[in-house]
Amino acid sequence: MSDDIIGRVIVSQHPYFSGTASLSGTVKNTGSPNTPVQRVVVLFAEIPSPKNNALKRGNLHYIAEKVSEPDGTWQFDNLSPDFKYTVQAWDDTGLYAPVIGAGLVAT
């Protein structure tokens, strides 16, 4: 199976991770107040080890990436609620390190 590129969104065709749930959030630069920004957001499925159900390095499966909206919001749809996910937001300006959210559950 190959991935489809739709605009700036890459959609995984892997049926193992497909479902009716979604994940969403907002990318912001920290400050007073926090400022929403448009950045690249990358989604991974977390694959636990079959031995002890622990997440180990290399156990992330790339699902998709997209650029957040100008107001900083992002959403990934059609995800399985049976997995936990990791989301990374990348600052292409180089001012900030990537921000990672792990153990996220799609609802």
Side-chain angles (χ1 to χ4, degrees):
M1 272 184 200
S2 65
D3 292 340
D4 293 331
I5 300 176
I6 303 171
R8 297 179 84 175
V9 179
I10 300 172
V11 182
S12 176
Q13 298 272 325
H14 199 302
Y16 193 63
F17 304 108
S18 297
T20 58
S22 64
L23 275 176
S24 61
T26 305
V27 181
K28 298 177 182 177
N29 281 346
T30 57
S32 185
N34 292 339
T35 308
V37 290
Q38 195 169 27
R39 297 291 185 261
V40 173
V41 181
V42 183
L43 175 68
F44 297 91
E46 298 177 3
I47 310 299
S49 170
K51 291 184 180 177
N52 59 8
N53 208 32
L55 182 64
K56 296 182 180 178
R57 187 170 21 142
N59 288 9
L60 296 176
H61 180 82
Y62 173 85
I63 300 291
E65 67 182 68
K66 62 172 45 180
V67 176
S68 62
E69 299 296 325
D71 66 357
T73 59
W74 56 267
Q75 182 168 321
F76 292 102
D77 296 315
N78 303 317
L79 300 174
S80 171
D82 299 329
F83 291 93
K84 291 184 179 179
Y85 296 92
T86 293
V87 175
Q88 297 178 343
W90 293 86
D91 179 28
D92 57 333
T93 69
L95 295 175
Y96 299 97
V99 174
I100 301 170
L104 306 176
V105 178
T107 57

